[in-house]
């Protein structure tokens, strides 16, 4: 320890002097005035020889070399199993200068390592803690191996610092476990760990990955994690759980949800149980959380709040129509700017898209692979994890089904603009699907897209409406309006002997003018006919036969284009 304050127990004081008035902080061995590390060899041998398996030991503050620790553990090994058996084991503030091997040890009482320092590898592989296990503010300078360890009572790692890898694979925590304020400088692995009664997990800070793959959470629990990555593949959530995350990308692939699970982006740094803010300085960014996969997940119990879904893979998920997206859900956008398709320049309309559509379009466009970790280029489609392997890239019919299910999730959340984008994406994928969509249906979708962007692009529909109106006006001026309004003619015959006179009223057929077809007067008449056609009304204007057909066509086409524009505006502003 770096402090010069005296410990609360009678201590060895070996090496005390002006520079270090406290000296060695190791507790006295019973009957002696020195710790086990500074006992004379004969006294140490006598003390170790008197230990038996299952004995209580107290070596608080004691500096242990690897050899001294092995001597201590050999003295308490069970002759039948060859594993160390300890009762109450007190190692608070002990210093382990090299590797410390507690593998297979059984602690029948409380195991207290608060403030202990492990300079080498700390091995607790397969250890059994039948009482309370405390590693509060312990420091692990190298790997901490707790694989297959069993914790029957409470386990406390609050404030512990793991400078090397932290390995808890296959461990079992039968009671509550606390990691409040724990700091992992590298990866923290909890593969296959069973948290049977944990109700509060964290907050923890990890500079690398927190791996919970295959872990089991058997009771309602709240996890608070600041990390670069959180991996929960095949994690089993047997009860209600809330996962609050900062900075991390979260992988939920093939997780098993037996109860509601909420994954939330926490807006501010976490506060430990002691009231101090978790130090996140090594993690850059605003704290945004990216969910990268819900593949194979039954999403009926899943809630995602304020998460970035730009690279999230949904393919293979179940009940995606019941997925709840709360707060602000960020999705990938289409590429920006102008692009060349053949010889024609094209520009993608802005909309929210799924990562699977990006991957398919990047595949069909023949984009080159992008190295891992490269930021996405906003002017290009994002390549997928299996790019350019077409066999593992979703097809348009698969992506259309994803859009259809997630559109319903947006509709249920009363987010009509979000649902509109997903309807657009669904129609796009059906239009490009050459295997599951009939040719006639694809042609109809192509026309629907061209005229109005599937009823979602008001500008496109209004543009076509303006073009149709202009064409109608020009055609009416050229061929539809007669030279003059036809006059009525009355003809009759008077019988020679008198009597009833019969008159026949006839009207001349309208005729096109031979000149001056494009005059302002004819423009006013053509405009009146066209505007009435837009609102599906007849103008009553005399027209040539050709003009009558032109008006009939415009009365069908132009109101439909106007309706599509209104529908598109309604879809964008409705909530």
């Amino acid at each position: 320890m770096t402090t010069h304050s005296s410990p609360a127990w009678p201590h060895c004081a070996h090496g005390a002097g002006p520079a270090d008035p406290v000296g060695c902080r190791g507790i006295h061995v019973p009957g002696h005035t020195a710790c086990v590390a500074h006992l004379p060899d004969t006294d140490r041998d006598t003390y170790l020889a008197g230990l038996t398996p299952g004995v209580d030991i107290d070596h608080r503050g004691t500096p242990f070399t690897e050899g001294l620790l092995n001597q201590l553990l050999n003295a308490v090994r069970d002759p039948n199993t060859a594993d160390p058996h300890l009762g109450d084991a007190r190692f608070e503030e002990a210093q382990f200068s090299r590797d410390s091997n507690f593998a297979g040890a059984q602690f029948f009482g409380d195991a207290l390592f608060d403030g202990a320092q492990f300079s080498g590898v700390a091995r607790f592989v397969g250890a059994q803690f039948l009482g309370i296990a405390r590693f509060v503010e312990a420091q692990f300078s190298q790997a901490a191996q707790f694989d297959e360890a069993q914790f029957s009572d409470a386990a406390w790692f609050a404030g512990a610092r793991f400078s090397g890898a932290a390995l808890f694979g296959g461990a079992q925590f039968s009671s509550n476990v606390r990691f409040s304020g724990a700091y992992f400088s590298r990866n923290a692995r909890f593969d296959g760990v069973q948290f049977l009664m944990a109700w509060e997990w964290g907050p923890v800070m990890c500079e690398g990955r927190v791996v919970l793959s295959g872990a089991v959470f058997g009771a309602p629990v709240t996890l608070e994690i600041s990390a670069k990555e959180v991996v929960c593949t095949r994690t089993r959530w047997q009860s209600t759980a809330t996962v609050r995350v900062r900075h991390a990308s979260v992988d939920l692939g093939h997780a098993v949800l037996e109860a509601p699970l909420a994954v939330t982006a926490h807006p501010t740094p976490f506060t430990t149980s002691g009231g101090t803010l978790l130090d996140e300085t090594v993690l850059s960014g605003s704290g945004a959380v990216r969910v990268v996969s819900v593949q194979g997940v039954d999403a009926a119990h899943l809630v995602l709040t304020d998460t970035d879904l730009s690279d999230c893979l949904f393919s293979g998920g179940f009940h995606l129509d019941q997925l709840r997206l709360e707060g602000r859900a960020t999705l990938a956008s289409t590429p920006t700017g102008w692009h060349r398709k053949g010889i024609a320049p094209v520009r993608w309309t802005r909309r929210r898209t799924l990562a699977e559509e990006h991957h398919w379009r990047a595949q069909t466009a023949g984009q080159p692979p992008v190295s891992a970790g490269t930021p996405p280029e906003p002017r290009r489609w994002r390549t997928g994890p299996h790019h350019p392997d077409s066999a593992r890239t979703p097809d348009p019919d698969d992506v259309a089904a994803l859009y259809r299910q997630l559109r319903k999730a947006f509709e249920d959340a009363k987010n009509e603009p979000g649902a509109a984008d997903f309807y657009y994406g669904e129609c796009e994928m059906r239009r490009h699907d050459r295997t599951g969509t009939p040719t006639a249906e694809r042609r109809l979708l192509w026309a629907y897209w061209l005229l109005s962007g599937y009823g979602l692009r008001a500008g496109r529909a209004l543009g076509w409406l303006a073009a149709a109106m202009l064409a109608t006006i020009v055609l009416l001026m050229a061929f539809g309006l007669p030279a003059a309004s036809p006059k009525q003619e009355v003809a009759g015959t008077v019988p020679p002997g008198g009597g009833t006179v019969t008159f026949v009223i006839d009207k001349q057929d309208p005729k096109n003018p031979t000149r001056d077809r494009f005059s302002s007067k004819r423009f006013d008449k053509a405009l009146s006919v066209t505007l009435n056609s837009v609102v599906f009304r007849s103008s009553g204007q005399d027209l040539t036969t050709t003009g009558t057909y032109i008006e009939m066509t415009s009365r069908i086409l132009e109101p439909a284009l106007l309706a599509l524009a209104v529908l598109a505006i309604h879809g964008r502003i409705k909530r």
Side-chain angles (χ1 to χ4, degrees):
M1 302 294 291
T2 58
T3 180
H4 292 311
S5 61
S6 298
W9 51 83
H11 63 288
C12 176
H14 178 81
D20 182 9
V22 176
C24 175
R25 302 171 63 84
I27 192 170
H28 293 170
V29 172
H32 299 273
T33 58
C35 68
V36 68
H38 297 117
L39 276 178
D41 292 343
T42 55
D43 291 340
R44 183 188 304 116
D45 293 341
T46 302
Y47 165 71
L48 294 175
L51 299 179
T52 58
V55 68
D56 295 341
I57 59 174
D58 186 350
H59 293 290
R60 288 173 283 176
T62 302
F64 280 94
T65 62
E66 185 174 3
L68 176 59
L69 178 62
N70 289 338
Q71 286 182 306
L72 176 65
L73 296 178
N74 288 335
V76 295
R77 290 189 184 276
D78 181 78
N80 297 320
T81 63
D83 293 327
H85 284 195
L86 299 159
D88 287 334
R90 305 199 63 172
F91 290 95
E92 296 104 308
E93 299 186 20
Q95 303 106 49
F96 300 90
S97 59
R98 298 189 64 183
D99 293 352
S100 49
N101 189 1
F102 289 89
Q106 296 186 35
F107 298 87
F108 293 94
D110 295 339
L112 307 180
F113 289 85
D114 295 353
Q117 297 182 15
F118 297 87
S119 299
V121 176
R123 295 188 180 91
F124 289 86
V125 178
Q128 298 183 38
F129 299 87
L130 303 182
I132 295 174
R134 289 179 60 99
F135 291 84
V136 176
E137 296 186 359
Q139 297 186 34
F140 299 86
S141 299
Q142 296 189 36
Q145 301 175 352
F146 287 86
D147 304 84
E148 306 295 335
Q150 298 185 30
F151 298 83
S152 301
D153 207 330
W156 294 61
F157 291 85
R161 294 185 68 91
F162 298 83
S163 299
L167 308 176
F168 289 82
Q172 178 175 313
F173 295 88
S174 300
S175 187
N176 191 33
V177 55
R178 299 196 65 176
F179 285 91
S180 179
Y183 193 105
F184 301 90
S185 297
R186 298 179 64 183
N187 296 336
R189 303 195 63 97
F190 297 86
D191 311 67
V193 175
Q194 298 186 49
F195 299 97
L196 302 183
M197 292 297 294
W199 63 82
E200 184 180 22
W201 203 96
V204 302
M205 167 63 199
C206 181
E207 297 182 25
R209 309 169 72 197
V210 175
V211 181
L212 295 165
S213 299
V216 178
F217 289 88
V221 63
T222 298
L223 289 80
E224 295 182 335
I225 305 171
S226 290
K228 288 184 178 179
E229 296 181 47
V230 177
V231 184
C232 297
T233 57
R234 294 182 172 82
T235 304
R236 181 179 293 274
W237 308 88
Q238 296 180 336
S239 190
T240 304
T242 300
V243 183
R244 301 188 183 115
V245 189
R246 284 182 55 78
H247 299 283
S249 62
V250 181
D251 187 350
L252 299 173
H254 304 283
V256 179
L257 278 57
E258 301 179 19
L261 170 66
V263 178
T264 304
H266 200 67
T268 57
F270 294 116
T271 302
T272 67
S273 56
T276 59
L277 288 178
L278 208 62
D279 183 9
E280 301 178 350
T281 54
V282 297
L283 298 178
S284 59
S286 61
V289 175
R290 298 167 51 247
V291 177
V292 297
S293 176
V294 294
Q295 291 182 297
V297 175
D298 187 344
H301 290 305
L302 183 59
V303 181
L304 303 177
T305 304
D306 294 328
T307 53
D308 185 346
L309 305 176
S310 299
D311 293 307
C312 185
L313 299 177
F314 292 92
S315 56
F318 305 97
H319 298 132
L320 293 175
D321 57 322
Q322 299 179 44
L323 172 65
R324 290 179 56 189
L325 300 175
E326 305 288 347
R328 183 176 181 177
T330 304
L331 291 147
S333 180
T334 51
T336 59
W338 289 92
H339 309 267
R340 185 172 296 278
K341 189 174 183 180
I343 61 174
V346 296
R347 181 178 180 273
W348 299 101
T349 55
R350 301 286 289 174
R351 61 182 173 90
R352 283 166 281 196
T353 59
L354 293 180
E356 281 85 353
E357 180 181 351
H358 273 260
H359 301 165
W360 175 77
R361 289 190 182 273
Q363 173 71 34
T364 56
Q367 289 183 195
V370 178
S371 58
T374 303
E377 168 58 49
R379 294 179 56 85
R380 304 176 64 185
W381 296 101
R382 300 173 184 231
T383 56
H386 307 300
H387 186 82
D389 185 356
S390 59
R392 303 179 68 182
T393 301
D395 293 326
D397 56 339
D398 301 320
V399 183
L402 296 177
Y403 272 121
R404 188 179 306 116
Q405 293 184 70
L406 290 168
R407 173 167 60 89
K408 187 176 184 303
F410 276 103
E411 290 172 346
D412 292 343
K414 307 302 181 184
N415 186 346
E416 293 295 336
D421 279 346
F422 276 38
Y423 175 71
Y424 192 105
E426 177 190 349
C427 291
E428 275 287 275
M429 293 297 98
R430 289 169 57 199
R431 182 167 69 92
H432 289 287
D433 179 19
R434 297 181 177 274
T435 57
T437 305
T439 302
E441 183 178 338
R442 286 195 294 108
R443 290 176 178 173
L444 183 62
L445 286 168
W446 185 89
Y448 193 24
W449 164 79
L450 184 64
L451 291 176
S452 65
Y454 309 113
L456 296 172
R457 298 294 180 260
R460 192 178 305 178
L462 291 173
W464 280 109
L465 176 60
M469 292 175 64
L470 180 61
T472 301
I473 291 173
V474 172
L475 291 174
L476 286 174
M477 293 174 67
F479 309 106
L481 295 175
S485 298
K487 298 179 180 179
Q488 294 181 343
E489 295 181 353
V490 179
T493 303
V494 179
T500 302
V501 179
T502 301
F503 293 95
V504 177
I505 301 176
D506 198 5
K507 190 175 183 179
Q508 296 179 351
D509 291 334
K511 296 181 179 179
N512 285 320
T514 57
R515 58 188 180 86
D516 296 332
R517 298 190 181 195
F518 297 97
S519 63
S520 60
K521 184 176 181 180
R522 289 174 64 81
F523 173 79
D524 290 340
K525 290 182 179 181
L527 179 61
S528 176
V529 173
T530 302
L531 292 176
N532 280 280
S533 297
V534 171
V535 294
F536 207 72
R537 291 176 54 191
S538 175
S539 64
Q541 172 70 43
D542 291 318
L543 300 173
T544 64
T545 302
T546 302
T548 301
Y549 285 110
I550 293 173
E551 183 188 36
M552 291 171 58
T553 303
S554 67
R555 289 179 64 188
I556 295 173
L557 179 61
E558 290 166 7
L561 291 172
L562 179 62
L564 289 173
V566 173
L567 180 64
I569 295 173
H570 178 266
R572 283 297 172 189
I573 64 176
K574 182 180 178 183
R575 283 286 182 182

